[in-house]
Amino acid sequence: MAAIDEGKQASAELLRQETKAMKEEEEPQSLESEKLILESISSEKLPLNDNSSPAGSPDLADEETESTRDSNSTEREAGNESDNLEENEAAELKEEWQDILGSGVIMKKVLKEGQPDSRPSRSSRCVINYTCKLEEAHEDDFADVADNYELGLGEGDVVQGLDVALGLMNSSERCLLKIGPRLAFGDRGLPPKIPAGATVLFDVELVSHQPDTACEELSVQERQKIGNKKRERGNWWYQRGENTLAVQCYRRALDYLDEVESENPEHQKPTDAELQRLLEDRLKVLNNMASAQIKMQLYDQALISLQTVLRCQPDNVKALFRKAKIHSAKNDLPQALRLLEKARTLEPEDPHIAKEIASVTAQINKQKNSEREYARRMFGNNSASSTDKKAPENKKKSENTKVPVWATLGATFALGLAGLVAYKLKYA
């Protein structure tokens, strides 16, 4: 047993020397690992009947040290691999969604690649399939769905975010679009599914696109169909308070509703009835566009639109009413009142006309009262000031006239008295 204890002490001493040498020759390990190894060796007890030689103990310690190093190395490698995996997943997730504008307002994730280099150009006639829902909505809880929807790119036929993204898609491409409220449905939302200020998710497929066909090559029926669709879209924007987009749609509608005849020899010459319907639709667009222009305070442009309507339809009540609003805004109240009176003869029961007449009449009376008050103040002050100036002069004049009268009377009395005295002296 003494031999065994001596061998154990020799092994421990040898391990301490080797550990000290390793510290001097190599970079020291962490204090915690070193302490763990020393405690493991010093606490080890050999069995009494162990026939192994004392020289075997240092080999066992070396094996345990190497095992601990391998374990620590494996843990570090596993940790590094885990970190790298997380970074790669984050990078892949980031690459899936593309920030189209660089501001985060439109995010795009491609679901199916399209034909390379086949993007549409502005005013191209596009056909798309799409669904629209809230970002956090259920998978089938759609706010809007459309298949084979035809639109003109960049013409306000869809919300602005979708319009921009379509110009960056290839033919047959399908993608997800995450669009912020500013370029989606704004502060009005799309009741009842989409509330105000909501981010929406579009699933869009660009089925096909082709260059825009010139209006002259379309038949009257085709132009009327497209023109009225543009007019209805303009009405949609107008109701949402987006007057700029409304005017854009109205102007595009006028291009299609022009009375120009088709240059395609295959198309039949339009009848008078067809041209009359085309003209009536065109006048509706001009009338609606004037209303949007008034909202934008573009009074001169609105006046041109309304004058075109009234040349063709002198008794158009809406055009008369809106023209009166323009003259009222320009402070030409008498002309506004004349137009409103004419509109009232055509629509005597219209409450809007009666209300506007009352408003314009009140403004005219107010102006008249203001003019009278101004005239009274101006001319009244002048007459009062002239009267005030004349009063001291008259007073001074009256005072000046009083002195000669008394002097005359005194002189007369003195002359009479002198004559009387002279008479008495002469005949006494």
Side-chain angles (χ1 to χ4, degrees):
M1 289 183 62
I4 293 173
D5 293 337
E6 289 177 0
K8 195 172 178 183
Q9 292 177 0
S11 298
E13 183 64 27
L14 181 59
L15 179 60
R16 291 191 186 95
Q17 292 176 0
E18 288 180 354
T19 304
K20 184 177 181 181
M22 289 174 61
K23 288 182 180 179
E24 292 175 354
E25 294 176 1
E26 300 177 357
E27 183 177 352
Q29 296 180 353
S30 66
L31 294 176
E32 186 177 354
S33 298
E34 182 181 349
K35 183 178 180 181
L36 182 62
I37 294 171
L38 292 174
E39 286 179 356
S40 175
I41 297 301
S42 1
S43 62
E44 183 180 0
K45 294 183 180 179
L46 295 175
L48 296 176
N49 58 351
D50 193 357
N51 298 323
S52 60
S53 62
S57 296
D59 294 336
L60 180 61
D62 291 342
E63 289 177 2
E64 290 180 355
T65 303
E66 290 176 0
S67 174
T68 305
R69 289 178 183 173
D70 293 341
S71 175
N72 293 337
S73 176
T74 303
E75 291 178 358
R76 284 196 298 270
E77 290 176 358
N80 293 335
E81 289 179 359
S82 177
D83 294 340
N84 293 335
L85 182 61
E86 292 178 358
E87 291 177 359
N88 293 335
E89 290 178 352
E92 290 176 0
L93 184 62
K94 187 176 181 181
E95 289 176 359
E96 284 181 354
W97 287 98
Q98 304 170 15
D99 191 350
I100 292 180
L101 300 179
S103 59
V105 180
I106 305 177
M107 302 295 292
K108 176 182 175 182
K109 180 180 180 181
V110 177
L111 300 179
K112 185 184 75 171
E113 295 289 347
Q115 302 172 12
D117 302 325
S118 59
R119 291 180 177 179
S121 58
R122 184 175 178 82
S123 296
S124 293
R125 312 311 301 171
C126 300
V127 179
I128 64 172
N129 299 328
Y130 75 86
T131 62
C132 174
K133 64 178 183 178
L134 286 174
E135 182 182 9
E136 63 277 6
H138 295 295
E139 185 175 352
D140 57 348
D141 189 11
F142 300 122
D144 190 15
V145 179
D147 290 329
N148 296 322
Y149 181 78
E150 298 182 9
L151 61 98
L153 187 63
E155 296 180 359
D157 291 338
V158 291
V159 294
Q160 292 172 289
L162 179 56
D163 211 358
V164 171
L166 285 172
L168 301 175
M169 292 178 65
N170 290 317
S171 183
S172 301
E173 180 182 331
R174 183 186 169 201
C175 69
L176 290 177
L177 295 173
K178 192 185 299 182
I179 305 176
R182 186 166 64 88
L183 296 182
F185 297 100
D187 295 334
R188 289 178 175 264
L190 189 65
K193 292 284 188 178
I194 298 178
T199 297
V200 294
L201 193 67
F202 279 90
D203 186 340
V204 189
E205 180 185 8
L206 179 56
V207 179
S208 64
H209 66 84
Q210 59 184 0
D212 187 25
T213 304
C215 298
E216 295 79 6
E217 298 179 6
L218 299 174
S219 65
V220 172
Q221 294 81 6
E222 290 172 330
R223 286 191 281 127
Q224 189 172 17
K225 179 182 177 181
I226 298 174
N228 283 328
K229 185 177 179 181
K230 297 288 185 185
R231 174 173 62 86
E232 291 171 0
R233 189 64 183 181
N235 293 344
W236 187 81
W237 285 118
Y238 177 79
Q239 292 170 0
R240 297 179 61 82
E242 298 284 353
N243 297 303
T244 301
L245 292 171
V247 170
Q248 179 183 348
C249 291
Y250 290 141
R251 291 193 184 281
R252 191 61 177 144
L254 292 174
D255 294 338
Y256 289 99
L257 297 175
D258 198 358
E259 297 177 4
V260 62
E261 294 185 2
S262 174
E263 296 179 356
N264 192 334
E266 297 180 358
H267 295 157
Q268 294 181 354
K269 185 176 181 180
T271 64
D272 291 342
E274 289 175 336
L275 291 176
Q276 180 62 30
R277 287 195 295 269
L278 197 69
L279 174 62
E280 290 175 357
D281 289 340
R282 180 178 176 83
L283 295 178
K284 289 179 183 178
V285 174
L286 286 168
N287 215 342
N288 293 351
M289 186 170 69
S291 182
Q293 289 168 334
I294 291 172
K295 295 281 187 180
M296 299 169 66
Q297 299 183 356
L298 301 175
Y299 299 125
D300 293 337
Q301 296 181 23
L303 198 58
I304 293 172
S305 301
L306 293 173
Q307 286 171 346
T308 304
V309 175
L310 292 172
R311 275 198 299 268
C312 301
Q313 297 176 346
D315 293 337
N316 190 304
V317 176
K318 288 185 178 179
L320 290 170
F321 180 80
R322 288 165 181 165
K323 189 176 180 181
K325 295 277 285 184
I326 293 174
H327 284 286
S328 178
K330 288 187 168 187
N331 204 29
D332 187 0
L333 299 178
Q335 179 63 16
L337 188 59
R338 284 191 291 270
L339 292 168
L340 289 169
E341 292 291 352
K342 183 178 180 180
R344 184 164 63 176
T345 58
L346 298 169
E347 293 286 346
E349 302 299 328
D350 193 317
H352 300 288
I353 296 175
K355 182 179 179 181
E356 191 66 21
I357 287 176
S359 175
V360 172
T361 303
Q363 291 181 59
I364 291 174
N365 293 333
K366 184 177 180 180
Q367 284 187 356
K368 288 181 178 179
N369 292 335
S370 298
E371 290 172 358
R372 290 194 192 99
E373 181 66 19
Y374 179 76
R376 186 187 68 79
R377 289 180 179 179
M378 184 177 67
F379 295 108
N381 289 340
N382 288 341
S383 60
S385 61
S386 61
T387 304
D388 293 341
K389 289 180 181 179
K390 288 181 179 179
E393 294 178 356
N394 292 337
K395 184 177 180 180
K396 185 176 180 181
K397 185 176 180 182
S398 62
E399 290 177 353
N400 292 335
T401 54
K402 288 180 181 178
V403 175
V405 170
W406 287 107
T408 303
L409 291 175
T412 303
F413 179 76
L415 289 174
L417 183 59
L420 180 61
V421 172
Y423 177 80
K424 287 184 177 182
L425 291 176
K426 184 177 180 181
Y427 295 101

